[in-house]
């Protein structure tokens, strides 16, 4: 039958319910994809974390994303925002109550107890990097799945540990090109905090009608959290409020003084912040947060990270009393700063492109690619493409300095063509010596010209 341009008669509509094409899926609110374009920044931050932790003899640990819900209720504290309204908790089909971890410290303490790390030389120094989950109201710099890099040092109560942690967190950001200041405070021991708590309630109770509904609840349940309040009226109210430093016992004061002396010694810039308490219940003694010093937008004054000492946590979780301290940095926020600092990061340059022609050439090229990769030569390919012209265009786009071409003829002859992409010249070499010949050429082009 001759093919004409006549349009074919419209197909009969199928009978029965009409099939709609399926809707594409979007993202769950508050989470996001980290696309290839952003990966160089994530990698830069990860590699910085890794090299710094290697230098400070901190070992990597990975704990599961899923933990028993009770772990966080007990450690983070019942009356915290996290436990009250931000956890992704559910019951499994096996009737287990589990939660997507909202932070990593509790999991690490659980692992420390579970694996008997008490028997290792102390302090046990661990670092982690991974996603955390909090059902918060999504906004700029605030996600429901976000990444944290953190360090925990467990089994040592000396103030030098607190200072070293603040130093590592500050140094990590500094080496990435982000200047920060450490805002620091001491919240003392739980005993000294009881007295301070009473003083705080006595101060705020007569001012109750000036508090937001949220803060009224805090006054009743967790008065220290009033100091964390984002309510603008609170700034004024707080100014005259009692400060925890005046309630610290002597050992706590000494501990804090020593932390500050160590920070002076290593030149970490800090600011005393008498109202910094941090949101979680488990902190004792030193607490700190890191802020970008170049941030001029007051509304964007969100911390890049924070940490502190948590000497009571291990016992709360059923372990032996074990002093510990740590920090967590928010990688999502840090990466957005990195991107603003350097809008494009240089990609690792492709050195060689392997081009092929015909089935035999493609097979040989696959093997050649492996040889080059093993020799640590940054190599690219387009094995699914047939035309040499297309492959050369790709090689040019990638900035490859050399191309290796293998076709049917080269396979039969046991040779390969090395093409100098800059000069446009090419040379036939022994197929078994491609890597060696290429390395010679690369060495020659790297020699300084006189
Ligand atoms: P926190 O221990 O809760 O203070 O968290 C430590 C750091 O993690 C914060 O200073 C932030 O940089 C980051 N962070 C906490 N929550 C979020 C979130 N929902 N989205 C993005 N980053 C977060």
């Amino acid at each position: 039958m001759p093919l004409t341009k006549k349009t074919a008669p419209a197909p009969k509509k199928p009978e029965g319910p009409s099939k709609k094409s399926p809707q594409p899926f979007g993202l769950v609110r508050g989470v996001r994809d980290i696309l290839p374009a952003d990966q160089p920044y994530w990698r830069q931050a990860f590699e910085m974390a890794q090299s710094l932790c290697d230098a400070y003899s901190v070992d990597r640990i990975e704990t599961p994303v899923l933990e028993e819900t009770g772990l966080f209720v007990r450690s983070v504290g019942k009356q915290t925002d996290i436990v009250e309204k931000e956890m992704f908790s559910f019951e499994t089909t096996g009737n287990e109550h589990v939660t997507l971890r909202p932070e990593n410290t509790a999991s690490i303490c659980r692992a420390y107890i579970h694996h008997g790390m008490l028997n290792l030389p102390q302090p046990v120094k661990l670092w982690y990097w991974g996603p955390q989950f909090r059902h918060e109201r999504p906004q700029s710099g605030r996600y429901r799945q976000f990444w944290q890099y953190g360090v925990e040092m467990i089994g040592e109560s000396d103030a030098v540990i607190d200072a070293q942690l603040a130093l590592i967190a500050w140094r990590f950001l500094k080496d990435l090109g982000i200047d920060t200041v450490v805002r620091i405070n001491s919240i003392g021991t739980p005993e000294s905090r009881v007295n301070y708590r009473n003083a705080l309630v006595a101060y705020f109770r007569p001012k109750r009608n000036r508090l937001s509904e949220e803060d009224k609840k805090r006054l009743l349940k967790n008065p220290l959290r009033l100091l964390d309040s984002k309510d603008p009226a609170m700034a004024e109210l707080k100014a005259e409020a009692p400060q925890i430093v005046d309630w610290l016992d002597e050992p706590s004061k000494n501990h804090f003084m020593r932390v500050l002396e160590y920070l002076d010694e290593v030149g970490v810039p800090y600011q005393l912040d008498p109202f910094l308490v941090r949101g979680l219940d488990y902190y004792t003694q030193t607490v700190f947060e890191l802020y970008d010093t170049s941030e001029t937008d007051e509304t964007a004054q969100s911390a890049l990270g924070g940490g502190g000492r948590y000497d009571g946590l291990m016992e709360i979780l059923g372990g032996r009393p074990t002093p510990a301290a740590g920090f967590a940095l928010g990688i999502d926020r840090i990466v957005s700063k990195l991107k603003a600092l350097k809008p494009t990061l240089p990609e690792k340059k492709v050195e060689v492109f392997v081009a092929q022609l015909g089935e035999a050439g493609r097979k040989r090229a696959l093997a050649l690619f492996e040889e080059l990769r093993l020799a640590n030569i940054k190599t690219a390919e387009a094995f699914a493409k047939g035309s040499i012209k297309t492959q050369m265009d790709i090689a040019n786009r990638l900035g490859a300095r050399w191309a290796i071409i293998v076709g049917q003829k080269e396979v039969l002859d046991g040779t390969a063509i090395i093409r100098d992409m800059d000069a446009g010249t090419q040379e036939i070499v022994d197929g078994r010596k491609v890597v060696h010949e290429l390395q010679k050429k690369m060495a020659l082009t790297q020699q300084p010209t006189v």
Side-chain angles (χ1 to χ4, degrees), residues 134 136 141-143 146 148 278 303-306 328-330 333:
R134 294 184 196 169
E136 294 185 87
R142 195 168 284 286
Y143 307 98
F146 60 97
Q148 284 185 337
R278 309 256 310 129
L304 295 181
L329 294 170
R333 292 181 193 175

Side-chain angles (χ1 to χ4, degrees), residues 82 103 134 136 141-148 278 280 283 289 302-306 328-333:
I82 291 185
E103 57 99 51
R134 294 184 196 169
E136 294 185 87
R142 195 168 284 286
Y143 307 98
R144 289 184 173 171
Q145 175 178 348
F146 60 97
W147 267 256
Q148 284 185 337
R278 309 256 310 129
L280 318 183
Y283 285 109
E289 279 181 350
S302 43
L304 295 181
L329 294 170
I331 298 302
D332 304 72
R333 292 181 193 175

Side-chain angles (χ1 to χ4, degrees), residues 279-446:
L280 318 183
D281 271 8
Y282 55 57
Y283 285 109
T284 52
Q285 308 284 0
T286 320
V287 285
F288 61 86
E289 279 181 350
L290 292 104
Y291 288 84
D292 183 347
T293 46
S294 69
E295 188 60 78
T296 45
D297 178 2
E298 275 296 310
T299 56
Q301 272 293 324
S302 43
L304 295 181
R309 182 159 278 288
Y310 50 91
D311 288 346
L313 180 57
M314 211 61 84
E315 218 177 337
I316 293 175
L317 296 179
R320 285 209 226 138
T322 312
F327 70 75
L329 294 170
I331 298 302
D332 304 72
R333 292 181 193 175
I334 291 167
V335 164
S336 84
K337 301 250 173 222
L338 288 180
K339 282 169 70 178
L341 282 175
K342 284 193 205 116
T344 50
L345 275 185
E347 299 260 323
K348 198 174 171 213
K349 252 193 124 176
V350 167
E351 290 164 302
V352 181
F353 187 92
V354 185
Q356 33 72 40
L357 197 63
E359 193 50 27
R362 182 178 285 162
K363 282 186 187 150
R364 176 73 190 110
L366 269 169
L368 252 178
F369 186 93
E370 283 303 289
E371 284 175 41
L372 291 158
R373 189 185 63 76
L374 288 171
N376 265 333
I377 298 172
K378 176 88 173 138
T379 309
E381 47 73 30
F383 290 146
K385 302 272 185 257
S387 123
I388 285 288
K389 174 161 185 326
T390 311
Q391 293 180 70
M392 287 303 107
D393 286 349
I394 298 172
N396 272 324
R397 205 174 62 225
L398 295 174
R401 177 72 176 77
W402 312 94
I404 299 171
I405 305 163
V406 271
Q408 191 88 0
K409 179 173 181 327
E410 286 72 30
V411 174
L412 285 175
D413 296 352
T415 58
I417 299 168
I418 297 183
R419 182 179 171 84
D420 181 328
M421 297 294 286
D422 285 357
T425 53
Q426 48 191 49
E427 187 187 329
I428 297 171
V429 298
D430 182 339
R432 289 161 305 180
K433 295 194 184 146
V434 175
V435 173
H436 179 68
E437 290 296 330
L438 204 63
Q439 278 168 333
K440 272 201 316 202
K441 287 182 184 295
M442 287 164 80
L444 272 177
T445 50
Q446 271 155 23

Side-chain angles (χ1 to χ4, degrees), residues 73-282:
V73 176
R74 240 200 273 168
S75 60
V76 175
K78 265 196 188 124
Q79 267 128 33
T80 56
D81 285 352
I82 291 185
V83 170
E84 273 186 345
K85 44 191 181 199
E86 293 171 3
M87 294 209 300
F88 283 90
S89 301
F90 57 96
E91 198 178 331
T92 66
T93 46
N95 300 112
E96 291 164 304
H97 293 267
V98 296
T99 293
L100 292 176
R101 64 180 180 208
E103 57 99 51
N104 226 145
T105 302
S107 306
I108 288 179
C109 291
R110 188 224 8 94
Y112 178 93
I113 299 168
H114 186 79
H115 298 284
M117 294 189 208
L118 191 70
N119 301 315
L120 300 174
Q122 308 289 304
V124 172
K125 301 181 187 177
L126 300 168
W127 73 279
Y128 61 85
W129 175 287
Q132 317 293 334
F133 303 83
R134 294 184 196 169
H135 198 273
E136 294 185 87
R137 204 159 53 83
Q139 48 185 286
S140 149
R142 195 168 284 286
Y143 307 98
R144 289 184 173 171
Q145 175 178 348
F146 60 97
W147 267 256
Q148 284 185 337
Y149 152 53
V151 174
E152 314 288 353
M153 296 196 184
I154 308 175
E156 177 57 65
S157 60
D158 200 282
V160 74
I161 295 286
D162 311 26
Q164 207 179 22
L165 285 160
L167 166 66
I168 297 174
W170 174 80
R171 168 58 62 196
F172 169 77
L173 291 162
K174 174 96 187 150
D175 288 356
L176 286 174
I178 305 168
D179 279 319
T180 57
V181 63
V182 177
R183 289 197 200 153
I184 192 163
N185 192 22
S186 172
I187 55 170
T189 57
E191 298 77 50
S192 56
R193 242 180 357 258
V194 172
N195 297 332
Y196 177 60
R197 201 186 133 108
N198 293 339
L200 215 53
V201 173
Y203 172 81
F204 278 110
R205 200 177 282 138
K207 303 173 179 59
R208 205 179 163 278
N209 52 6
R210 290 163 65 192
L211 299 182
S212 68
E213 284 312 305
E214 185 73 25
D215 285 345
K216 278 182 191 150
K217 275 191 227 149
R218 286 178 166 158
L219 180 61
L220 277 178
K221 289 191 187 169
N222 195 350
L224 245 69
R225 294 291 322 282
L226 279 172
L227 304 175
D228 268 349
S229 168
K230 302 279 177 290
D231 183 11
M234 186 52 80
E236 203 185 308
L237 287 175
K238 247 176 20 182
E240 301 286 309
Q243 300 189 356
I244 195 158
V245 275
D246 299 323
W247 264 260
L248 295 183
D249 50 30
E250 276 312 304
S252 297
K253 267 190 208 157
N254 282 336
H255 184 97
F256 192 38
M257 286 310 296
R258 285 185 49 223
V259 175
L260 300 182
E261 279 167 24
Y262 293 132
L263 291 181
D264 283 331
E265 194 61 36
V266 286
V268 172
Y270 63 84
Q271 276 169 8
L272 298 180
D273 183 344
F275 296 123
L276 180 71
V277 288
R278 309 256 310 129
L280 318 183
D281 271 8
Y282 55 57

